[in-house]
């Protein structure tokens, strides 16, 4: 049992940990510090906020509250004193801990371009990372016409799509020959680029930017091939870097992120790290799902609910779903052993490539309208065997389960075929009622009860009655 | 339906009625076949101590045994050592009389009923959101005019076929039908869109739908501001459920979630209905609440032609939960822990309010405590067959065997009756008068066609006889002269029910049998005879103290039992078209037996392939609680990670041997719809 827990960070990971601890009850004090002044919000929804469909209250998250929870927003932790087991804040406070959790997240990378190296960014150049970034982007976007997005990864494309959704003319500049190169293959990326073009987002690929010129009227991005683009706003989406400053200053073991073990412990057993700032094995997470999984494991350990809980990373799924774009990517789509399934429909902008090894999905890229996307993601996430009918992985659930095709003529229906399920009436029984003198639909219904339940076989009963009236003698198979 | 008797044969005739439009399924058509069935009980049965067999006995001997048994148990262990278990098929009069019998005659707090396994999660969710629980707060016919209809965990094409006429009507008018079900059911096949989530993830789907509705501007903010409270917490709760997260959990694609949210949000008239698939979970109340939240955020409840409702599962599932056979309730949906409610009912019953016992415990807890040191030692069962219908049924069967006295009132020898010390033969539906309240909250009449066969008494008659026997004779403390506690006459009981319910949520004061006959049923609340009834609730206000509906923030949580390497498949249960509930009745009707002769295990061909099982071969489904054996039925209509079995059969084919007894913390609803199992091939013998 740990009495005093201090959490540095009130982002997706830190908030989650506070909630998880609060849900587990117990008599402990949890103090959380968030640098940003706002209440906790859902970073995933920021691109929707950019699109203008929702307002700031819609991105707020529920915060842990009540007994033992002490949340300070707009307060920056400036140092960790491991000897004394305390943190110092920019308000001059000193807060002691029995256990400290780093959930400091990551910071947007500002590329070292001419014009961006002087500390403060120009007003028309904004990274896309925080709620304040969003506010700055929206403040400029309100009076803007043209927007440049530097970076064609997931975040850059989300920003581009959101801003295009406001009616802005958006150009994405990406140094690599194809978009989202970490998740996609060139074919998928080409399909995506075409889809984006239809949505008003143009892409400039395989060309690095070299310089930014910005003043109060506009911004110009110069490219290595000599071209330059003018715009009202430049959004930087050049990746993120774990915020490890406090950990480094406190002499914790830091690689690209703060190094943690399976129990999310750093090199100091009284300090843990979760979320974007943590490095587990070789992996920086950068996504919400693993951050929340880490929060759950750490809450189990710290609350004593399961002191031996271990974080087991699950393979990540990248998902981009906005109006007009539907993309899912998981695993390494390179050429490994096993089978490959592909489906391409360039006209509709649909592409699917799945890799299967030992009856399990090892990777998948789905772009466009793939009705099986939910199934594919779930099979991958849970590591379950793929269906023996592989087509269902590409074409979706409809296979073999749709409504039965009505027989073209009742003559071809077997006598034992059930016509009315509610009352268990087969074709033979209907024919028999005809032989016994029923001549209208109502008479057939009265004699057999077909169609008296849900009524949905009424047309079929009518069709069979019609057919019976056109054939002279009826051979009934029994 | 109408009945006609000619030459001693009772024939069923369909009757046009606004609810079913004259539709009957095979169960309705054949319902009269049980009236003169050879298995029908027409004499009381007493267990013979020497042979251990149930032997025919006189009513006097049977009542004597019961009275002696109850007195002995209560003398040795206190009043609460006798418990009563009712059913959602009993008429309103019987449900009322049973509650009164327990509280006034037995003076035990232990009464509950099988509706706890059926409607309790929807009831609790409706109560906390709207301040009242009426399955449908609008007539069923409203389904026919909905632009969008969302059915969550409902399969009316098999469980309530006449209702499908409204779905057909709805789609004929160009409406969209969307069905959420882990199986491609007969209902799902008729849908424009079928969402096939992993069992146990309906709540995540609900929260994601509300997330999308918010993100796409479908939330009716003026309705939320004017008619509800608590939305901010819900908005923050669903902010966690961006659609891709729900997709990975449920397997329902973001595109389908978006299509659903838009179809609901963009509709002029939209209706959301839940049924057992969403409700029979240890998070059933929260799951229903998720869909209620969605309906409220879209401004549906109270808007003409729109709203939220739940589909009732038993004949009198609605009325059965309003008049006092629920552990925490008194007639008229009054609360047993509310002083004013107790005083009102005490005055009708002619007892001091403090004499009415406090709340008992929900059905599963009650059943699971039977025969234990702190639990009841005697149980009286009316209209229920828990040996087949209770979760973790082998354990409950053992509890029933541990009782000092088990009395079962039934007209057939159910699996539960087979364990009884005393079985009392009771009348069937065509032999008694009374009222039922259907899924719309519409009170209907049941009219006796004929008198019960010799040797058979109605439930009301035997309750009155038992009450008289228990109130008289030696060994009773000398007390007030109360007069007869219970009337055997349903018309008299109904008059008392009217008075007891007056002023309550389910107010029947203005309902008379004559009025029901004169109009096509009467919708409660109906406080006065000469004022209109209430087909539609919530037009102006909700039944909460401040008239506003309440949002409650709810979060998905995993099923009580997770799949693992040993039990890798999800198991879910349900009904088939030609059978009903524990099958006591329908398994005895030849036509229904032909249509659905035996239990089966529905599994995906891929699963069967891995097991080396062919269609029709017996398989064993095993959970941590026990096993079930039935023939495999291969179907690609089920997810490959899930197997299904109907719960209508007992013995080795009893699905509830396998189910989980984890219960919802609010409603006490057991988790019938998901547990972890493994499936094995049964070696040929």
């Amino acid at each position: 049992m740990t009495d005093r827990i201090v959490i540095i960070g009130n982002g997706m990971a830190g908030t989650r940990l506070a909630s998880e601890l609060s849900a587990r009850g117990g008599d402990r004090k949890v103090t959380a510090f968030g640098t940003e002044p706002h209440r906790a919000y859902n970073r995933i929804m920021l691109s929707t906020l950019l699109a203008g469909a929702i307002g700031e209250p819609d991105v707020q998250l529920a915060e842990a509250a009540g007994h033992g929870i002490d949340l300070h927003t707009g307060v920056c932790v400036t140092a960790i004193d491991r000897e004394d087991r305390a943190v110092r804040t920019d308000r001059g406070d000193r807060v002691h801990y029995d256990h400290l959790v780093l959930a400091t997240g990551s910071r947007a990378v500002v590329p070292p371009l001419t014009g961006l190296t002087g500390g403060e960014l120009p007003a028309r150049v904004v990274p896309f990372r925080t709620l304040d970034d969003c506010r700055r982007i929206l403040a400029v976007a309100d009076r803007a016409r043209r927007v440049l997005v530097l970076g064609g990864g997931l975040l850059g494309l989300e920003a581009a799509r959101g801003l295009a959704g406001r009616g802005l003319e958006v150009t994405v500049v990406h140094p690599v020959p194809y978009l989202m190169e970490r998740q996609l293959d060139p074919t998928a990326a080409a399909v995506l680029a075409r889809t984006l073009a239809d949505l008003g987002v143009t892409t400039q690929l395989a060309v690095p930017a070299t310089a930014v010129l910005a003043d109060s009227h506009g911004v110009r991005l110069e490219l290595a091939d000599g071209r330059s683009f003018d715009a009202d706003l430049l959004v930087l989406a050049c990746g993120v870097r774990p915020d490890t400053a406090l950990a480094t200053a406190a002499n914790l073991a830091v690689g690209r992120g703060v190094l943690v073990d399976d129990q999310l412990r750093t090199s100091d057993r009284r300090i843990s790290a979760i979320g974007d700032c943590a490095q587990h094995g070789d992996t920086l997470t950068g996504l919400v799902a693993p951050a929340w999984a880490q929060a759950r494991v750490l809450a189990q350990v710290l609350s004593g609910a399961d002191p031996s809980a271990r974080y087991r990373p699950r393979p990540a799924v990248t998902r981009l779903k906005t109006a007009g774009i539907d993309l899912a990517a998981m695993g390494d789509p390179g050429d490994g052993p096993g089978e490959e399934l592909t489906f391409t429909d360039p006209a509709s902008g649909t592409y699917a490539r799945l890799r299967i090894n030992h009856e399990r999905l090892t990777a998948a890229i789905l772009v466009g309208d793939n009705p099986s996307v939910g199934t594919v993601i779930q099979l991958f996430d849970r590591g379950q065997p793929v269906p023996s009918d592989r087509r269902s992985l590409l074409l979706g659930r409809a296979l073999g389960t749709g409504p039965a095709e009505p027989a073209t003529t009742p003559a071809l229906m077997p006598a034992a075929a059930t016509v009315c399920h509610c009352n268990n009436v087969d074709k033979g029984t209907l024919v028999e009622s005809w032989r016994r003198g029923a001549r209208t639909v109502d008479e057939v219904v009265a004699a057999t009860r077909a169609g008296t339940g849900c009524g949905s076989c009424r047309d079929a009963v009518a069709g069979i009655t019609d057919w019976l009236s056109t054939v002279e003698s009826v051979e009934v198979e029994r | 339906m109408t009945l006609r008797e000619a030459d001693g044969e009772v024939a069923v005739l369909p009757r046009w009625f606004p609810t079913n439009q004259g539709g009957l399924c095979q169960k309705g058509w054949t319902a009269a076949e049980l009236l003169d069935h050879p298995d029908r009980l027409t004499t009381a049965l007493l267990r013979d101590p020497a042979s251990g067999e149930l032997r025919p006995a006189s009513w006097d001997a049977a009542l004597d045994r019961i009275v002696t048994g109850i007195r002995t148990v209560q003398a040795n262990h206190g009043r609460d050592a006798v418990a009563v278990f009712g059913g959602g098929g009993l008429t309103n009069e019987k449900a009322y009389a049973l509650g009164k019998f327990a509280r006034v005659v037995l003076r035990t707090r232990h009464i509950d009923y099988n509706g706890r396994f059926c409607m309790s999660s929807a009831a609790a969710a409706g109560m906390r959101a709207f301040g009242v629980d009426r399955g449908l707060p609008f007539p069923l016919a409203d389904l026919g005019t909905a632009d969008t209809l969302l059915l969550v965990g409902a399969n009316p094409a098999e469980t309530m076929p006449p209702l499908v006429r409204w779905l057909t009507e709805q789609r004929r008018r160009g409406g969209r039908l969307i069905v959420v079900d882990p199986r491609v059911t007969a209902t799902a096949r008729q849908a424009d869109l079928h969402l096939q989530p992993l069992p146990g993830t309906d709540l995540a789907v609900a929260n994601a739908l509300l997330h999308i509705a918010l993100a796409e501007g479908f939330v009716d903010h003026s309705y939320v501001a004017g008619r509800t409270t608590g939305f901010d917490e819900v908005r923050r709760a669903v902010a966690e459920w961006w659609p891709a997260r729900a997709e990975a959990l449920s397997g329902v694609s973001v595109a389908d979630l978006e299509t659903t949210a838009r179809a609901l949000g963009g509709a002029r008239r939209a209706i959301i209905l839940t049924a057992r698939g969403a409700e029979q979970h240890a998070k059933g109340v929260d799951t229903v609440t998720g869909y209620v939240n969605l309906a409220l955020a879209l401004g549906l409840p109270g808007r003409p032609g729109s709203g939220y409702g739940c589909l009732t599962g038993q004949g009198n599932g609605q009325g059965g939960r309003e008049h006092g056979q629920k552990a925490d309730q008194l007639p008229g949906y009054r609360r047993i822990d509310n002083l004013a409610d107790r005083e009102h009912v005490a005055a009708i019953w002619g007892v001091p309010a403090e004499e009415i016992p406090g709340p008992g415990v929900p059905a599963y807890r009650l059943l699971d405590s039977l025969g234990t040191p702190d639990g009841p030692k005697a149980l009286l069962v009316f209209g229920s067959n828990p040996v087949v219908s209770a979760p973790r049924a082998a354990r409950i069967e053992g509890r029933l065997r541990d009782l000092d006295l088990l009395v079962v009132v039934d007209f057939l020898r159910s699996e539960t009756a087979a364990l009884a010390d005393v079985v009392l033969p009771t009348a069937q539906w065509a032999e008694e008068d009374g009222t039922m309240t259907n899924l719309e909250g519409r009170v209907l009449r049941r009219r006796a066609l004929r008198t019960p066969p010799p040797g058979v008494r109605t439930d009301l008659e035997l309750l009155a006889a038992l009450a008289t026997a228990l109130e008289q004779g030696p060994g009773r403390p000398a007390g007030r002269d109360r007069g007869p506690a219970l009337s055997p006459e349903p018309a008299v009981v109904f008059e008392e029910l009217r008075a007891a319910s007056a002023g309550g949520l389910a107010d029947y004061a203005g309902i008379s049998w004559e009025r029901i006959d004169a109009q096509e049923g009467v919708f409660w609340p109906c406080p006065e005879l000469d004022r209109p009834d209430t087909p539609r609730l919530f037009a102006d206000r909700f039944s909460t103290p401040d008239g506003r509906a309440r949002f409650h923030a709810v979060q998905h949580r995993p099923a009580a039992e997770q799949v693992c390497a040993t039990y890798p498949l999800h198991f879910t249960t349900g009904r088939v078209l030609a059978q009903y509930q524990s099958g006591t009745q329908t398994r005895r009707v030849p036509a229904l037996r032909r249509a659905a002769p035996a239990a089966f295990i529905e599994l995906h061909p891929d699963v069967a392939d891995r097991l080396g099982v062919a269609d029709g071969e017996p398989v064993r489904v095993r959970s941590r609680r026990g096993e079930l054996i039935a023939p495999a039925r291969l179907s690609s209509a089920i997810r490959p990670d899930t197997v299904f079995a109907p719960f209508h059969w007992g013995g080795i084919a009893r699905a509830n041997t396998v189910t989980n007894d984890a219960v919802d913390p609010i409603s006490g609803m057991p988790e019938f719809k998901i547990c972890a199992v493994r499936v094995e091939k049964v070696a040929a013998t």
Side-chain angles (χ1 to χ4, degrees):
Chain A
M1 194 65 183
T2 307
D3 300 330
R4 294 169 301 175
I5 298 172
V6 171
I7 304 171
I8 308 178
N10 191 40
M12 298 293 277
T15 311
R16 191 70 176 183
L17 176 64
S19 300
E20 293 272 358
L21 286 170
S22 164
R24 281 168 175 77
D27 193 23
R28 74 182 75 80
K29 179 152 176 74
V30 176
T31 309
F33 295 99
T35 312
E36 295 179 61
H38 340 283
R39 64 176 291 143
Y41 60 88
N42 184 350
R43 203 179 297 284
I44 300 237
M45 296 174 80
L46 291 183
S47 56
T48 317
L49 188 62
L50 274 194
I54 54 173
E56 284 190 13
D58 296 318
V59 305
Q60 290 175 352
L61 286 173
E63 285 175 341
H67 178 72
I69 303 279
D70 193 7
L71 172 65
H72 304 269
T73 53
V75 177
C76 191
V77 171
T78 52
I80 303 167
D81 181 347
R82 289 169 56 192
E83 290 281 304
D84 190 34
R85 296 215 302 269
V87 298
R88 256 201 331 270
T89 74
D90 58 357
R91 304 280 168 90
D93 294 327
R94 198 174 169 80
V95 179
H96 284 89
Y97 63 81
D98 298 305
H99 198 93
L100 176 67
V101 182
L102 302 175
T104 49
S106 54
R107 291 171 181 272
V109 169
V110 176
L113 303 181
T114 309
L116 297 184
T117 49
E120 190 103 330
L121 288 173
R124 289 178 180 275
V125 179
V126 190
F128 178 45
R129 173 72 192 159
T130 64
L131 182 56
D132 282 338
D133 293 338
C134 255
R135 288 176 175 173
R136 278 193 286 272
I137 292 172
L138 290 175
V140 180
D142 259 357
R143 290 181 303 279
R145 195 165 60 80
R146 277 181 302 180
V147 181
L148 288 165
V149 175
L150 185 56
L154 178 64
L155 206 60
L157 297 184
E158 281 188 344
R161 180 66 194 100
L163 291 166
R166 300 180 81 91
L168 299 171
E169 211 176 281
V170 181
T171 303
V172 174
V173 177
H174 193 50
V176 182
Y178 63 99
L179 295 168
M180 290 182 70
E181 72 281 357
R182 284 170 59 194
Q183 292 92 8
L184 302 186
D185 59 26
T187 317
V191 173
L192 176 61
R194 275 198 300 277
T195 306
L196 283 166
D198 292 342
L199 297 169
V201 178
T202 52
T203 41
Q204 299 296 333
L205 300 173
V207 55
T210 51
V212 174
L213 292 138
D215 59 24
S216 57
H217 302 293
V219 58
R220 169 175 293 179
L221 184 67
E222 295 186 344
L223 306 186
D225 59 8
R227 290 182 297 162
S228 65
F229 288 92
D230 291 332
D232 304 303
L233 169 68
L234 170 63
V235 175
L236 300 177
C238 305
V240 295
R241 190 172 290 140
D243 189 343
T244 56
L246 281 172
T248 305
N251 281 320
L252 295 172
V254 173
R256 287 176 297 148
V258 184
L259 298 178
V260 296
D261 63 12
D262 286 353
Q263 293 207 300
L264 292 321
R265 270 183 306 232
T266 66
S267 53
D268 179 335
R269 48 177 289 277
R270 289 194 175 267
I271 303 179
S272 303
I274 57 172
D276 281 9
C277 71
Q279 180 181 343
H280 177 261
D282 290 336
T283 310
L284 295 168
T285 67
L287 293 170
V288 178
W292 284 8
Q294 291 174 349
R296 187 171 314 117
V297 169
L298 187 55
Q300 282 172 313
V301 173
L302 294 181
S303 67
D306 180 4
S308 62
R310 293 244 174 319
Y311 169 64
R312 300 269 178 248
R314 288 164 100 169
V317 177
T318 301
R319 194 77 174 91
L320 175 58
K321 179 71 180 79
T322 67
I325 305 176
D326 194 337
L327 178 155
M330 60 214 83
D332 177 4
D335 306 323
E339 312 157 40
E340 178 161 305
L341 306 179
T342 56
F343 176 84
T344 317
D345 177 4
S348 76
T350 305
Y351 172 81
R353 176 163 164 239
L354 282 68
R355 297 207 55 89
I356 295 167
N357 197 20
H358 297 298
E359 298 297 307
R360 301 293 195 279
L361 272 173
T362 56
I365 298 172
L366 304 169
V367 184
D369 180 14
N370 286 287
S372 63
V373 61
T375 307
V376 168
I377 289 173
Q378 212 176 37
L379 287 173
F380 178 80
D381 188 46
R382 292 171 182 253
Q384 285 174 334
V386 294
S388 57
D389 183 351
R390 303 285 199 254
R391 292 173 304 172
S392 66
L393 282 174
L394 296 173
L395 304 175
R397 61 178 177 273
L399 276 182
T401 55
E405 284 293 310
T408 43
T409 159
L412 299 176
M413 270 177 88
T418 304
V419 178
C420 171
H421 287 274
C422 297
N423 281 292
N424 197 32
V425 183
D426 58 22
K427 180 191 136 188
T429 307
L430 296 176
V431 172
E432 187 62 28
S433 76
W434 179 274
R435 289 179 130 195
R436 289 172 187 272
R439 286 294 176 271
T440 65
V441 174
D442 285 347
E443 285 167 8
V444 168
V445 165
T448 62
R449 296 174 183 169
T452 60
C454 74
S456 54
C457 65
R458 206 55 198 210
D459 288 349
V461 174
I464 289 170
T465 310
D466 279 353
W467 164 69
L468 286 166
S469 65
T470 60
V471 290
E472 279 186 275
S473 69
V474 177
E475 285 303 312
V476 184
E477 322 157 31
R478 275 288 177 200
Chain B
M1 63 177 72
T2 307
L3 299 179
R4 183 174 298 155
E5 187 166 24
D7 307 326
E9 292 264 314
V10 178
V12 170
L13 300 171
R15 168 181 169 227
W16 194 92
F17 197 77
T19 310
N20 68 345
Q21 298 180 297
L24 285 181
C25 71
Q26 208 173 3
K27 288 170 290 198
W29 280 108
T30 58
E33 292 185 25
L34 292 166
L35 291 170
D36 299 309
H37 196 281
D39 288 355
R40 171 126 197 222
L41 299 176
T42 52
T43 169
L45 303 173
L46 269 183
R47 193 165 298 281
D48 174 40
S51 66
E53 302 280 306
L54 279 172
R55 295 267 171 80
S58 71
W59 270 91
D60 283 347
L63 289 178
D64 205 47
R65 173 75 212 279
I66 297 170
V67 169
T68 310
I70 288 174
R71 284 191 180 152
T72 308
V73 163
Q74 289 197 323
N76 292 335
H77 304 283
R79 296 187 189 285
D80 289 343
V82 176
V84 176
F85 198 80
L90 302 177
T91 60
N92 292 324
E93 291 78 4
K94 296 197 278 189
Y96 171 85
L98 203 57
K100 183 178 175 186
F101 176 76
R103 273 77 178 235
V104 173
V105 179
L106 297 175
R107 294 177 62 189
T108 175
R109 69 188 180 98
H110 284 310
I111 175 168
D112 213 56
Y113 79 126
N114 65 15
R116 193 66 77 168
F117 300 157
C118 189
M119 306 306 307
S120 61
S121 288
M127 198 57 101
R128 74 176 177 178
F130 306 123
V132 68
D133 153 42
R134 200 179 91 183
L136 296 181
F138 44 75
L140 194 63
D142 281 11
L143 303 191
T145 59
D147 299 316
T148 299
L149 181 54
L150 179 68
L151 295 183
V152 189
N155 182 16
E158 295 216 55
T159 60
M160 207 183 274
L163 184 146
V164 174
R165 291 165 179 258
W166 296 115
L167 307 187
T168 307
E169 166 77 4
Q170 186 243 354
R171 297 185 62 226
R172 191 184 61 73
R173 288 169 177 255
R176 294 187 82 175
L177 173 65
I178 305 176
V179 172
V180 184
D181 200 303
R183 302 163 62 218
V184 189
T185 60
T187 311
R189 268 181 240 276
Q190 301 184 26
D192 298 286
L193 178 62
H194 172 211
L195 314 184
Q196 198 176 359
L198 183 73
T201 62
D202 298 319
L203 174 48
V205 169
N207 279 351
L209 292 175
L210 182 46
H211 182 106
I212 297 165
L214 267 163
E216 302 203 354
F218 289 120
V219 170
D220 185 340
H221 288 288
S222 70
Y223 176 98
V224 167
R227 301 209 54 190
T228 71
T229 57
F231 184 59
D232 282 348
E233 284 306 307
V234 168
R235 187 175 51 192
R236 289 176 194 134
V238 302
E240 285 181 20
W241 286 97
W242 60 95
R245 184 177 174 218
E247 174 187 64
L249 184 75
S250 68
V252 177
S253 73
V254 175
D256 284 351
L257 292 170
E258 288 176 346
T259 304
T260 304
R262 287 170 195 154
L264 287 168
R268 211 165 40 83
R269 291 161 172 248
I271 292 176
I272 300 173
L273 299 178
T274 63
R276 302 308 83 68
E279 297 160 14
Q280 288 178 326
H281 292 272
K283 57 173 177 293
V285 176
D286 282 355
T287 301
V288 173
T289 299
Y291 287 94
V292 169
N293 287 343
L294 177 62
L296 286 171
L298 297 174
L300 305 182
R303 197 207 291 174
S306 294
Y308 162 81
C310 83
L311 294 179
T312 303
Q314 297 194 71
N316 195 29
Q318 180 68 46
R321 66 182 187 264
E322 297 166 358
H323 298 298
Q325 59 173 336
K326 220 170 164 180
D328 52 359
Q329 276 173 14
L330 291 172
Y333 237 132
R334 287 190 150 87
R335 294 194 56 88
I336 206 165
D337 56 6
N338 176 292
L339 193 61
D341 285 353
R342 292 169 65 87
E343 276 170 355
H344 175 89
V345 174
I348 305 291
W349 286 351
V351 298
E354 62 273 16
E355 241 182 51
I356 297 178
V361 297
Y364 184 76
R365 249 181 85 194
L366 175 62
L367 294 173
D368 194 31
S369 71
L370 298 174
T372 62
D374 299 324
K377 310 292 185 288
L379 179 74
L380 283 65
V381 178
F382 291 77
S384 188
N385 185 14
V387 166
V388 173
S389 65
R392 202 175 183 178
R395 176 178 167 116
I396 295 309
E397 191 177 334
R399 295 281 190 248
L400 291 166
R401 289 180 193 279
D402 288 344
L403 286 166
D404 294 351
L405 175 68
L406 174 62
V407 179
V408 174
V409 181
D410 208 322
F411 53 83
L412 292 164
R413 195 187 286 220
S414 69
E415 285 78 359
T416 305
L419 301 183
D421 301 293
V422 187
V423 180
L424 298 178
T426 187
Q428 289 192 48
W429 52 283
E431 298 158 355
E432 60 182 13
D433 284 300
T435 60
M436 315 266 278
T437 305
N438 78 355
L439 76 168
E440 307 163 292
R442 190 198 300 250
V443 186
L444 310 170
R445 277 274 280 125
R446 168 184 281 187
R447 295 176 196 83
L449 172 73
R450 62 182 200 181
T451 53
V456 170
R457 298 188 189 179
T458 67
D459 289 345
L460 290 179
E461 286 168 351
L462 73 88
L463 279 174
L466 255 184
T468 306
L470 282 163
E471 297 264 316
Q472 294 166 351
R476 299 300 293 172
R480 303 157 308 280
D481 177 24
R482 289 184 180 133
L486 290 166
S487 167
E489 293 300 328
V492 176
V493 175
F494 187 76
E495 290 307 307
E496 197 180 306
L497 184 162
R498 285 175 64 184
S501 74
L505 281 170
D507 191 332
Y508 281 40
I511 304 176
S512 67
W513 283 12
E514 295 71 30
R515 185 171 179 183
I516 299 171
D517 291 342
Q519 58 191 80
E520 284 166 330
V522 181
F523 291 89
W524 69 257
C526 183
E528 287 174 58
L529 271 173
D530 52 2
R531 298 281 296 275
D533 59 346
T534 318
R536 286 182 180 78
L537 294 170
F538 314 146
D540 305 314
R541 56 174 290 141
F542 293 96
S543 305
T544 51
D546 62 3
R548 287 165 171 264
R550 305 246 179 293
F551 280 99
H552 293 265
V554 287
Q555 285 294 353
H556 166 81
R557 51 187 187 269
E561 188 174 65
Q562 299 289 294
V563 292
C564 60
T566 316
Y567 301 101
L569 292 167
H570 303 279
F571 178 66
T572 191
T573 63
R575 295 193 202 168
V576 299
L577 177 65
Q579 298 287 348
Y580 181 67
Q581 304 299 68
S582 73
T584 307
Q585 299 178 42
T586 48
R587 281 185 267 132
R588 287 180 165 85
V589 174
L592 300 177
R593 207 164 52 225
R594 276 196 300 280
F600 58 89
I601 312 292
E602 182 176 292
L603 69 169
H604 194 276
D606 284 359
V607 178
D609 225 34
R610 283 195 287 276
L611 297 168
V613 170
D615 192 52
E617 279 187 347
V619 289
R620 175 185 290 116
V621 175
R622 179 185 281 281
S623 76
R624 289 179 176 85
R625 293 157 296 280
E627 65 179 44
L628 138 79
I629 295 177
R633 181 177 291 181
L634 272 48
S635 168
S636 55
I638 191 158
R639 296 171 54 104
D641 52 16
T642 304
V643 295
F644 165 87
F647 64 81
H648 307 293
W649 283 271
I652 190 64
R654 181 171 64 188
N656 275 321
T657 308
V658 171
T659 52
N660 194 352
D661 59 350
V663 297
D664 186 286
I666 298 168
S667 67
M669 170 71 84
E671 190 140 274
F672 289 109
K673 285 290 189 272
I674 180 170
C675 69
V677 298
R678 70 171 179 269
V679 179
E680 298 162 350
K681 185 174 176 146
V682 176
T685 50

